[in-house]
Amino acid sequence: MTAQRVTITYSAPPAFLATDHWKQVYAALLSQLPLRNLHWKSATRPNIRTIQELDVNLVSAEAKQTEHTSQIPQTVLEKPLLSAYIVVCDDTETYRNTVKKQIKEWHSTVTQRKNMEWLIIHIVRPDAIATSGRMFQMKASVLDKIKADFNVEKRDRCVELVWAYDSDYENPTAWADLIGKLKDGILCAFDAAVAQREEEVKRSEGQRQMPGWNFCTFFILKESLANSYEGMNLYEDALDTYNELEILFFQVLREKNLSWFGTLINPAPKDDSLPLLSHSKKPYRDLILANTISVFDFRTYLLARQCSILGYLGHVVEIARKAVAFLSAFGRRLRDIEEILPTHFIESWTYSSALSVVEQCDAWATGLEMNKATIASFNAVKGELVELARHQLDIIGISVGHLPNRPPFSMAFPSNSRRDGGTPATSSTQRISKSEILMALEDKNAFYKVYIGITNRAIELYATAGRRKFALKMHGDLAALDVHRGRLSEALQTFTSLPAHYAPHGWTSLESYMLFQALGIHTAAEKPRDREWIFILLDFLKAYVQDLGKELLMNTEDHIEYVTSLVQALHEATQEAESDLSHHDHPAISVSVPNGQARTADNRDGALLEVQVTNALPCDVPADEVIINLTGRDGAKLTFLENVKSLKPGKNAITLFCHSATPGIYSLHSSQVRMSRLSLHWLHSSTPPPSSSSASRSKKPPTLVSIPRDIRALDVRLRQPRRMELGTPARIVVAFNTGRNHVTRASVKLSAPSGVEFRHNEATLIDSEAGEDTFVLSDVEADKTVYVSVPHSDASAFHAMRVNITVEYTTLVEPDVNRSLTLVRVVLTSLPLAINVEDFFRGTRLFTRFTLSSTSHQHIRLKSTELRATRDDDGLKIAKAMPRSRTVTTITPEQPGKFLFQLDSARGQDREPLKLHIIYRVLREEVESVIESAVDSSLSESVSLQQYRAELIDTLVQALEKDASWVNRYEATGELIVPGIPVQDGEVGEALAHLIETLANPSSNQEPSGEWREIIIPVDVPQMHIVAAARLRVLSNPFNPDAVESLPPLFAGQPISALLTIKASFHWAPAEDVEKRSYRMRYDIEERTKDWLVSGQKTGEFIAEDDRTFTTSVTLIALHHGHLILPKVSVAALPIPGEGRMKAPLIPSCETYQAHGAEAILVLPRGGRSTFVVNMGGE
Amino acid sequence: MAPQLRLNAVAFVSPQNHPILIRTFEQPRQDELKYHYIAHTSLDVIDERIQAATASKSTDCYLGLLYVEDVAVYGYMTPLKVKIIIALELSDSIVRDADVVAIFKALHTAYRRSVANPFLRLNVPTENVTDHSILVSAGNSRWQAFRKRVDEIGRASYGFVPSPLFLVTSKIQ
């Protein structure tokens, strides 16, 4: 049905209509059409409607009159809106005589007509205007006369068209007046007609509740309005009208329950295959008028009309959207009466309609300019239509058995509908007519071809529309079809690739569904359960344990059973796997450490740790091993493991064992559950990459595990050797305690981060093999401590040395277990003592003084110092100056100890260095051992207190550390007064009180128990070429130097004779210079001008020979009285020129001591008389 | 009075497009997959709508009818970008948007009340307090109350109680 167009009729004298002149005018008039830019201002509408373009029929009045008019409301455009009369008359006379009459006749007929405007067009030639117009100005023109005769009211309904044969048709100015009048006339008539029709419609609608009102009649009436709008190209108004009709239809539907409609549907033979949007495929209006239209036809007609108007407007997206909604909704309604419809009618109708709408929309869309977003939504909605068609194939396929009755195919069934999938029984004898459907029903392969074709079409449309998720769903459908058709490998490929699209956003339900399909296919295809299968399965279980994952396992009645069988199959597959598999962070199982306190194993080395393994699956999971890894400081790693059989659903408490557990604090690093060759890993302590964007990932504090010390476990300690000898390679003592273990073999490796090297191969110990970087102990019984001394490179640069100890050992009880223990120990390397040596030569004797001082704040207890010769036959006689009364000496940093030794030796021997043996201990060590022994002896009486041993010792030591007031008393008396211990109740308090008492009153005077340390310091015997003893002796009789009589009194100022003797001894000369008999020497008497005047040879040279005395005499004068010390004499050896190979002068070493150094001489004041003259004054 | 709308399924989807909750009401078991698919595919349409809304600077939460596929799928996005998708039983009559919006408002309220539960955060790290997705990770067992509230709305739409929707919506105030 094409829209009714606006009609303009024209009349003229018949004679004129026959002329060529008219034909030309008519043609020219037509060329001005269609009319453009009409502005309709309606009284009932708020806005001016603009009609861009309006087609107009121009027909002669006679032709129009012949048409019959019916009672049925047609459009208001059916009758002409404008009637025009064409006048060609230049002559007023002619006009008055004939033409006016003709016009009058016409005018009387047209003015009677309602809703029609009229117009008189006066055609004049330009020359006529020129001649008549100008020349007879005084006379009224023909036009003026016409106006005067016919114009009523204010409207001017007469217009002049200046027409020339050869004038320009296109000249708009010539036509403007006429066209304007035409537009005005049309709009005016249209407005009046519409207003009248609207009035009628309103009246009719108001009678809706009255008996006898008929919707169909009303529909035709109101539709005529819509048609009128459409004819005027007022599409929005037309659409609004139809929409109002639709709303009214639904209202009426509810109120009156369709009493005007024959049936819901009266299926005609081709109903299911005709294009949906054609409103001419049936005589719809006639059916409506006859009140026999079915709801189906009516709704189809209404939709088709709406869509065709939308089509004019270019709203293709809306058309398709409307069609989808209509097909779905009305298809649903048809389901209610499916039994009276031909078999598959609904499906066939929906299918063909959907596809025909796509076609129709494409047709309408050609030439339309759409922006990108509109194109996308157009494709999307077309995709929806195609998908709708596809769903019909699903339903048909299931009902005839081409498809199985299960998702995703069964999803096409409307909810709450029958689900049996069979062909419904129908009372209708008709058959559907869509050839594609008919073919597909017959032929399975044809069906699949159509099915796949349609699906792919939908996928393509969705893809271009950017609806990726829709396309994914469709791919899933295709894969499901592949499964049904037995094309398993294609299906498997799709189903294994689909989960990746659903997983990232947590759509685990869909993910698990896809994986479930993949697993099913895998089984159906009898593919080997290989790596790939295992990973699909693991992914499935991963999705399954997440909350949404279970929701879609609708095919499996008892999914617990299903999962159980899967897990079982997984176990079998892992056993047969060719290589090790690992999988990270699987959520089905989680391992946690509920309590970070490990226990020691009672009967063997190692630690036990409780872990909680949570199995989120509903079935037992077979597993072989549960392992957790801990990391500690310096990269230490511990592995706890336990063999298990299976993990039951929920929480499993499992105790893991680590055979090599070094005590300390560790953090949980990772955990692992092994199932044959498959291992599941979880990383606990997250060391996330710094730029990690996954901020949402919960950041938990690390799980800490504390491993206690096992007192009975194998242990290795380091300490300084008890006996240290300087000058020999430094050693360290490794105390290897087996604890409860009978160690069959243990290798110990020491290394120091500071770079100190340990010479393991030079380790000296019992029963050891020394390797390059380890030493090995074999067959050490339990509870035995083996001390191994390991030399190492010089570490004196460090105060303390940090040593990493690695022990690998096996025990007799568990020969298969290789335990490894990694310990870090710090051992002091510095000496607590500083030693200073001073030597004093006295002839053939040597006095050596050692000054010992403490290098730290600690007091040092010295038990003995001893200087020993290396060899007994050295001829050395060493005597020690040491009071015997005291056994232990204490030195402190402020109070060094000095120890003097006297050496006598034979001359000229090669002397081995001497060794100073010092036996000492640090006060703290001593006190600690005192306390320990006191505690031990105290605890031996009470077994129950044994566990408090460490606590008691700690308490005491800490008390002593806080207050140093006890030190002096202890050092003097051995009584240890522990200060500041609060009185405690209970067993411990009593024990403590008892201990304090014991310590304060040591049982006897015996030396405190505990170990002493020994340090051996090599001391070279000093050498000296010449030892000179200078002596200045005052002679009582200068002439007899040998006289031994007491000195006469000496007076100041009196010359005193003195004898200088220098006795040389070559006793301490180095062995190689023993041959040398004499040295040239020089002496020099010190000038002490305040005390003495020296007269004589103050300075002189002499030849010194061994054990010979050089003698010379000098005279001294004391300058004042008092006890005066004699001047010192310095003696020096002169260089021996050029004797060495190097021809360099050699200066022999020489030491001089003043034999008279301690002597003082009493000088008396000078006697005699002194005369003082005192002036008495006066004369 | 509009006919009672029948609510077949509800889906809540987080701003990051993670499913929070998908519930179906009195639907055959076989159709669960369908509604999961619907929830998932709707996100495509919601994206289109959001783009269109951004272009037109619309701030309406209600996204309207998303598409029709045997059920009518409507969308709604809360100001904090949680998407609510409902599937209404298709009816061959005109559905008023106001009725649909009423359902969405009720669902939104149910969500809000559930998220407001302070105990949901019990074991959640404190640094991302504004990230709701942690709280609402799919089908969390702590989400029981929410599920119950949504189910109540679902049941109400089945119209066993006279105008139960109004009972629910009146709680909003």
Side-chain angles (χ1 to χ4, degrees), chain A residues 299 332 467 469 473 509, chain B residues 36 44 48 69-70 89:
Chain A
R299 295 281 304 274
R332 172 65 57 84
R467 288 193 175 179
K469 297 182 176 73
K473 183 176 81 166
S509 53
Chain B
H36 281 253
D44 271 346
E48 289 169 18
E69 182 198 286
D70 176 55
E89 183 76 24

Side-chain angles (χ1 to χ4, degrees), chain A residues 772-1014:
Chain A
E772 188 58 31
D773 56 356
T774 57
F775 61 86
V776 176
L777 300 167
S778 305
D779 201 23
V780 188
E781 283 167 25
D783 288 321
K784 199 165 177 184
T785 305
V786 175
Y787 296 98
V788 182
S789 163
V790 184
H792 60 86
S793 62
D794 183 38
S796 55
F798 311 103
H799 184 65
M801 179 165 61
R802 189 184 163 93
V803 183
N804 298 331
I805 310 168
T806 313
V807 190
E808 285 172 12
Y809 64 103
T810 48
T811 60
L812 194 63
V813 185
E814 292 167 293
D816 299 333
V817 180
N818 279 314
R819 287 183 159 85
S820 118
L821 188 66
T822 306
L823 298 161
V824 178
R825 302 271 188 230
V826 176
V827 63
L828 287 172
T829 50
S830 65
L831 284 175
L833 289 170
I835 295 154
N836 227 328
V837 190
E838 284 168 289
D839 289 322
F840 304 95
F841 291 96
R842 289 294 182 268
T844 57
R845 281 207 177 134
L846 172 66
F847 296 90
T848 299
R849 187 172 70 186
F850 296 95
T851 307
L852 301 184
S853 55
S854 170
T855 53
S856 66
H857 62 281
Q858 286 283 341
H859 292 198
I860 289 167
R861 307 275 278 168
L862 285 174
K863 188 183 182 193
S864 72
T865 50
E866 225 176 309
L867 192 63
R868 290 185 200 153
T870 322
R871 292 203 310 264
D872 289 340
D873 58 346
D874 215 6
L876 266 179
K877 275 184 236 160
I878 300 169
K880 182 188 175 192
M882 183 91 177
R884 292 272 161 195
S885 60
R886 228 183 325 170
T887 51
V888 176
T889 319
T890 303
I891 57 170
T892 67
E894 302 84 35
Q895 190 184 40
K898 292 188 177 170
F899 301 90
L900 190 63
F901 295 90
Q902 173 199 305
L903 280 78
D904 276 307
S905 76
R907 191 195 167 212
Q909 286 184 3
D910 259 341
R911 289 176 189 104
E912 290 290 315
L914 305 175
K915 285 182 176 166
L916 179 66
H917 293 250
I918 305 169
I919 295 175
Y920 73 100
R921 61 188 173 195
V922 176
L923 178 66
R924 184 187 170 102
E925 284 175 350
E926 179 179 311
V927 172
E928 275 177 5
S929 79
V930 165
I931 290 171
E932 271 177 45
S933 66
V935 168
D936 283 343
S937 71
S938 158
L939 292 188
S940 61
E941 298 153 17
S942 157
V943 183
S944 64
L945 281 171
Q946 284 291 348
Q947 51 182 324
Y948 301 115
R949 180 179 186 271
E951 188 188 331
L952 288 169
I953 291 174
D954 265 7
T955 315
L956 292 169
V957 169
Q958 278 172 21
L960 294 176
E961 275 173 350
K962 279 178 197 154
D963 189 346
S965 60
W966 53 274
V967 174
N968 289 335
R969 179 159 181 179
Y970 171 77
E971 281 170 356
T973 65
E975 293 168 14
L976 189 58
I977 310 295
V978 184
I981 294 240
V983 180
Q984 287 176 29
D985 290 335
E987 215 177 2
V988 183
E990 276 173 30
L992 207 53
H994 177 67
L995 273 173
I996 292 168
E997 180 75 20
T998 317
L999 289 170
N1001 303 296
S1003 56
S1004 67
N1005 262 351
Q1006 75 187 35
E1007 175 190 299
S1009 64
E1011 291 179 336
W1012 291 96
R1013 295 179 176 275
E1014 184 175 8

